[in-house]
Amino acid sequence: MPPDQTAAAPGRDFIRDIVEADLKSGRVKSVVTRFPPEPNGYLHIGHAKSICLNFGIAKEYGGVCHLRFDDTNPAKEEQEFIDAIERDVRWLGFDWGTHLHHASDYFERLYEWAEHLIRAGKAYVDDTPPDEMAKMRGTLTEAGKESPFRNRSVEESLDLFRRMRAGEFANGARVLRAKIDMASGNINLRDPVLYRILHAEHPRTGKKWSIYPTYDFAHGQSDAIEGITHSICTLEFEDHRPLYDWLIANLPVPSQPHQYEFARLNLGYTVLSKRFLTQLVQDKRVSGWDDPRMPTLAGLRRRGVPPEAIRDFVGRIGVAKANSTVDLGLFDFAVREALNKSALRRMGVLRPLKVVIENYPEGKSELLDAVNHPDDPARGTRPVPFGRELYVERDDFMENPPKKFYRLSPGKEVRLRYAYFVTCKDVVKNAAGEVTELRCTYDPATKGGNAPDGRKVQATLHWVAAAQSATAEIRLYNPLFTKPDPDPANLIAALNPNSLEVIKDARLEPALADAGDAPVQFERQGYFVRDRDSAPGKPVFNRTVGLRDSYAKA
Ligand code: ATP
Ligand code: MG
């Protein structure tokens, strides 16, 4: 599919307009952004949009971008995720320099600020049980009810809050809430929870804390401590902005950050929710966070997607204020664009059908020159062996072809790429009537693939020599879902049962037996990369992307 015509011109969007205007007017001296992942899963392609935006803006305007772990929920956070996030941001091509931060670095200061709010009469400890409190929040059309603990004295709240910190109370027994407005039209301002009791060991602070700040209390204040000028997040936080601003206005914070919201990435045939991706991993519906079918950066990397393709894709989709779903075809387009330039060409036969060249001498073999990259002669050629017995793609032969089938069929002459013209003379079948072998002849005068008499053929096929080819396992990936927009209420039912197809006995030209980690193009098939499950003499390849969409609308 063609590039998206609706995307903003490269490098232009409403957030960059705001940043530019702020620099021009002098509201900010230099730009400081941050990417704030919660280390409770691996990063996915949606996060890549946020990473490219935050790090990209910092780079373009001579500022800095911090990597800040939003590690305020130790119940779900793990070191494995922290390590994976750092690895994936670097792989995507970004560098936070010395600016690696953690919300947990600020726990002491956040605690002091919580006491500050209590002393100012702007926060209180609430003993209401959680389910009760949820009911008292009200609805969009109905005001909330004030807690009976709302007007307890500053001294009492302060004492209880200190004892919460000291670990005296059980999980869920009490919370600290801001005292704002239970009748506010914005539910986030109805005395939001700032601290909850959680007796859990934290990857960084260990057992020091038995209370942890909520996202809302930690986020803006962390931004203020770090001097973030533009705190860029996704649209679901738009309704939290009044609370973000209230906290900044009511606390003695060292700077005044602003929050800006953009539309999150939604991608066809894909679900970008860490909760769901976690479920796929835990239920073993995929082999792990880096299963090549996963939309995680680790999965895409293992599938062979180069980081420049992801950056290019993110640039093409642009940054907007309205939610929409991007066609998966656009992602594949960006992957092909990148790989078309970088990938060496090779020949691999996925579903082999044997060919015997009857007039080619038995025992003879020769090396033919094959081009490594059609657009880049500097990348040279390689020798490919040719002999009497070959394999071609089963799909490239039809015994009774329809009119427009130009490839091999009885009596038909085709070109074998880099080799010779061959003509199919006869078909060998097994007892079940299945074609097991083609008997062909070749024309020695057509060496290199051209006929000196000028005669033409209508098809050029890829092939490998039977004796010198390597057997390989090939893993073909299809989208995880059968529909572009699976029902969020029933995602498991919408999973594609054929998202992984394994071919055990593909045949590859010898140059592929020791392919490195760079993706290659199997001519006429697509782009493939060696998987880490490969063993000596037993290569395994993942299909990164086909040359055309197979799932596109019929
Ligand atoms: P998920 O919704 O997958 O659980 P999250 O928002 O909980 O993701 P965080 O680790 O909090 O995950 O996200 C870090 C940053 O990435 C946040 O600023 C968030 O807004 C942004 N982000 C998450 N998902 C997307 C997405 N699909 N498109 C763009 N940005 C995203
Ligand atoms: Mg989040």
Side-chain angles (χ1 to χ4, degrees):
M1 76 164 272
D4 184 3
Q5 302 296 324
T6 63
R12 293 293 344 162
D13 56 64
F14 77 98
I15 297 204
R16 286 174 167 88
D17 287 346
I18 292 169
V19 167
E20 250 172 57
D22 287 347
L23 285 167
K24 211 178 236 167
S25 74
R27 188 183 82 73
V28 303
K29 296 272 171 296
S30 70
V31 183
V32 186
T33 56
R34 87 287 170 265
F35 173 65
E38 191 183 339
N40 60 352
Y42 278 55
L43 297 178
H44 54 59
I45 180 93
H47 294 115
K49 178 176 180 182
S50 175
I51 294 168
C52 291
L53 183 60
N54 281 294
F55 281 93
I57 285 178
K59 207 177 212 169
E60 288 155 42
Y61 296 98
V64 293
C65 179
H66 299 184
L67 175 62
R68 182 201 312 145
F69 287 103
D70 220 321
D71 54 351
T72 53
N73 185 2
K76 288 193 179 165
E77 296 161 4
E78 288 173 29
Q79 190 62 37
E80 178 196 349
F81 299 141
I82 294 178
D83 296 341
I85 289 169
E86 291 187 21
R87 191 187 319 129
D88 291 346
V89 173
R90 279 211 188 88
W91 174 74
L92 200 52
F94 298 104
D95 183 6
W96 51 89
T98 57
H99 300 285
L100 176 63
H101 303 288
H102 302 80
S104 58
D105 297 339
Y106 315 132
F107 280 174
E108 198 61 55
R109 200 135 27 140
L110 292 169
Y111 177 83
E112 284 163 25
W113 284 340
E115 285 206 355
H116 175 94
L117 285 180
I118 298 173
R119 278 193 296 270
K122 291 173 181 162
Y124 60 98
V125 171
D126 193 349
D127 308 351
T128 309
D131 46 336
E132 193 92 349
M133 200 184 299
K135 279 187 218 139
M136 291 168 72
R137 271 189 110 194
T139 63
L140 284 175
T141 52
E142 207 185 310
K145 285 197 197 68
E146 293 192 355
S147 160
F149 301 97
R150 194 172 201 261
N151 295 312
R152 74 182 356 157
S153 70
V154 166
E155 289 67 34
E156 192 182 2
S157 276
L158 215 45
D159 173 61
L160 287 169
F161 189 50
R162 288 176 183 163
R163 288 164 60 195
M164 280 167 63
R165 174 180 180 160
E168 273 187 41
F169 311 119
N171 288 353
R174 299 189 155 81
V175 294
L176 182 74
R177 300 177 76 176
K179 193 190 278 191
I180 308 180
D181 179 6
M182 286 308 290
S184 172
N186 183 334
I187 292 182
N188 293 296
L189 294 180
R190 294 182 189 169
D191 293 9
V193 173
L194 305 180
Y195 267 92
R196 59 219 189 292
I197 299 172
L198 195 61
H199 294 273
E201 189 157 346
H202 188 283
R204 289 177 61 83
T205 59
K207 291 185 174 154
K208 180 170 181 201
W209 294 89
S210 354
I211 55 172
Y212 289 93
T214 54
Y215 170 88
D216 284 317
F217 192 61
H219 202 89
Q221 284 52 257
S222 302
D223 287 343
I225 291 168
E226 292 177 18
I228 302 299
T229 55
H230 297 81
S231 180
I232 304 166
C233 62
T234 37
L235 277 182
E236 64 270 26
F237 293 103
E238 197 167 20
D239 289 346
H240 292 242
R241 181 157 27 98
L243 175 56
Y244 184 103
D245 291 343
W246 186 91
L247 288 165
I248 293 293
N250 284 284
L251 287 170
V253 289
S255 76
Q256 308 284 312
H258 288 260
Q259 175 184 300
Y260 305 89
E261 307 88 16
F262 69 99
R264 60 188 285 117
L265 169 66
N266 300 305
L267 194 57
Y269 294 94
T270 308
V271 170
L272 299 179
S273 139
K274 259 191 283 184
R275 210 154 73 107
F276 178 69
L277 299 178
T278 303
Q279 189 190 346
L280 290 181
V281 173
Q282 284 175 351
D283 296 354
K284 299 202 166 22
R285 290 180 190 274
V286 293
S287 64
W289 284 97
D290 71 347
D291 186 304
R293 292 167 292 177
M294 292 282 270
T296 53
L297 298 184
L300 295 172
R301 173 170 60 233
R302 186 168 171 194
R303 213 175 85 196
V305 172
E308 61 269 24
I310 297 177
R311 294 195 301 266
D312 176 52
F313 168 69
V314 167
R316 284 172 196 277
I317 59 179
V319 179
K321 192 92 196 171
N323 277 314
S324 64
T325 297
V326 175
D327 192 321
L328 185 54
L330 184 62
F331 179 70
D332 289 350
F333 173 85
V335 176
R336 287 187 199 106
E337 281 283 291
L339 292 178
N340 181 38
K341 287 192 203 99
S342 65
L344 294 175
R345 273 44 173 181
R346 294 289 183 259
M347 289 197 288
V349 174
L350 301 192
R351 296 174 183 86
L353 174 60
K354 190 167 217 182
V355 168
V356 176
I357 312 285
E358 293 184 322
N359 59 339
Y360 195 89
E362 277 191 57
K364 179 180 166 179
S365 105
E366 64 187 306
L367 291 172
L368 301 169
D369 264 354
V371 169
N372 284 331
H373 198 292
D375 305 328
D376 187 2
R379 299 177 80 176
T381 61
R382 66 191 184 283
V384 289
F386 184 88
R388 182 178 156 90
E389 297 199 352
L390 311 169
Y391 289 111
V392 298
E393 208 68 61
R394 201 160 263 282
D395 284 357
D396 281 336
F397 172 79
M398 279 184 96
E399 193 174 8
N400 299 297
K403 226 180 165 147
K404 293 221 162 155
F405 187 84
Y406 298 125
R407 292 166 279 160
L408 263 184
S409 55
K412 190 90 162 205
E413 184 172 53
V414 299
R415 174 189 296 111
L416 295 182
R417 186 115 162 106
Y418 310 118
Y420 297 98
F421 284 13
V422 297
T423 303
C424 177
K425 295 292 185 191
D426 209 354
V427 175
V428 181
K429 294 181 184 175
N430 63 15
E434 296 155 349
V435 177
T436 54
E437 188 178 302
L438 304 180
R439 308 292 294 190
C440 297
T441 57
Y442 85 120
D443 176 355
T446 59
K447 183 167 178 172
N450 287 303
D453 64 3
R455 80 183 187 276
K456 298 273 184 261
V457 286
Q458 286 171 302
T460 300
L461 309 187
H462 62 278
W463 53 276
V464 297
Q468 294 94 332
S469 58
T471 302
E473 175 177 327
I474 308 276
R475 299 175 184 169
L476 305 178
Y477 302 104
N478 296 306
L480 264 180
F481 293 96
T482 48
K483 282 192 270 177
D485 52 347
D487 175 8
N490 217 345
L491 290 175
I492 294 294
L495 282 172
N496 178 3
N498 302 314
S499 55
L500 169 64
E501 278 174 63
V502 180
I503 296 174
K504 288 286 184 192
D505 53 358
R507 292 291 190 136
L508 309 181
E509 66 163 277
L512 280 168
D514 49 26
D517 291 334
V520 289
Q521 185 193 88
F522 290 5
E523 293 200 31
R524 301 177 63 233
Q525 291 290 359
Y527 296 95
F528 294 78
V529 73
R530 195 179 164 87
D531 188 79
R532 61 168 157 75
D533 286 347
S534 298
K538 289 191 169 171
V540 177
F541 278 82
N542 296 320
R543 183 172 65 191
T544 311
V545 65
L547 292 179
R548 282 168 298 278
D549 287 346
S550 51
Y551 56 86
K553 315 134 206 115

